[in-house]
Amino acid sequence: MKIKSLPSGAKGTRAFSLVELLTVILIIAILVAMVVGVAGYAEQKAAVEKAKGQMALIKSTLSAYKDEWGEFPRSPSGQYGGDAGARLLYQVLTGDGDNLLGGDSSSNGQIDNDEKNIKPRPPLDPAHDKQGMVRKEPNGNIEPVLLDPFGNPWNYRPFEEGGSSNQLRNKTYDLWSYGPDSTKGKEAKWITNWAGS
């Protein structure tokens, strides 16, 4: 059997086969998936660490508030769910609040900032928001709600003890973020100030 030789002047060129091309594409896809996965994990881990740092700031400010006023902040309406706890924390961290923290029905939810400011100077400046903790509306206006690094309101609830409502004094408080999953049902992933966190 005689093998045909290439005509004179023709160069031997070899193209990639379909299998080779698919193999290269698959390897590139795997590498991209790995990079995206690692970047997502690193971003989530950084957000959790940021939440822990924010929690430390909130806790120290709550302690300063208690030292100044003899109790942890409480809402006159007794409501802490939804944005109510995050609004109260905003007021404490910005020093924008008085003994009617959380707003009352006569103020229409507006914050009164002319009486009870915490000392020393509050740690959160909403105008500059270096911590990324302030919710902003699409038009740029600041909403008085304290956000965690996942974009959800911080949750706060004081524990109260004492007799009549005029004598309530807060013993301690719960402070938590629902964490990266932002779901109420996965408490193991929450970032909290209570045991196990």
Side-chain angles (χ1 to χ4, degrees), residues 8-173:
S8 62
K11 294 183 179 176
T13 58
R14 182 176 186 274
F16 288 110
S17 71
L18 183 58
V19 172
E20 290 170 326
L21 284 173
L22 290 175
T23 302
V24 170
I25 291 170
L26 180 63
I27 290 170
I28 291 171
I30 290 170
L31 290 173
V32 167
M34 287 173 55
V35 168
V36 169
V38 168
Y41 174 78
E43 186 178 314
Q44 182 175 316
K45 188 86 168 152
V48 168
E49 291 306 313
K50 185 175 181 181
K52 289 178 180 178
Q54 287 180 355
M55 180 172 285
L57 175 68
I58 295 168
K59 287 167 63 174
S60 68
T61 307
L62 289 172
S63 293
Y65 184 96
K66 185 175 183 188
D67 290 345
E68 181 75 20
W69 303 106
E71 64 181 355
F72 289 112
R74 59 188 173 90
S75 167
S77 68
Q79 299 296 315
Y80 297 99
D83 284 354
R87 185 177 300 275
L88 201 59
L89 290 173
Y90 173 90
Q91 290 176 290
V92 172
L93 262 71
T94 60
D96 187 6
D98 60 11
N99 57 353
L100 296 176
L101 284 170
D104 64 4
S105 57
S106 65
S107 69
N108 228 3
Q110 298 299 311
I111 298 172
D112 183 2
N113 62 359
D114 58 2
E115 289 180 30
K116 189 174 181 181
N117 292 319
I118 59 174
K119 299 169 182 117
R121 189 166 183 263
L124 181 64
D125 178 5
H128 297 99
D129 192 25
K130 292 178 183 174
Q131 299 90 346
M133 297 173 71
V134 177
R135 180 189 290 166
K136 292 189 178 168
E137 296 174 356
N139 63 7
N141 290 340
I142 294 171
E143 283 189 58
V145 174
L146 203 63
L147 299 180
D148 66 14
F150 311 101
N152 300 307
W154 274 99
N155 295 277
Y156 167 78
R157 177 183 57 222
F159 287 120
E160 298 175 337
E161 66 176 356
S164 71
S165 60
N166 294 332
Q167 298 172 334
L168 291 177
R169 288 294 176 259
N170 306 131
K171 197 171 163 186
T172 187
Y173 58 88

Side-chain angles (χ1 to χ4, degrees), residues 4-12:
K4 284 186 174 182
S5 62
L6 292 171
S8 62
K11 294 183 179 176

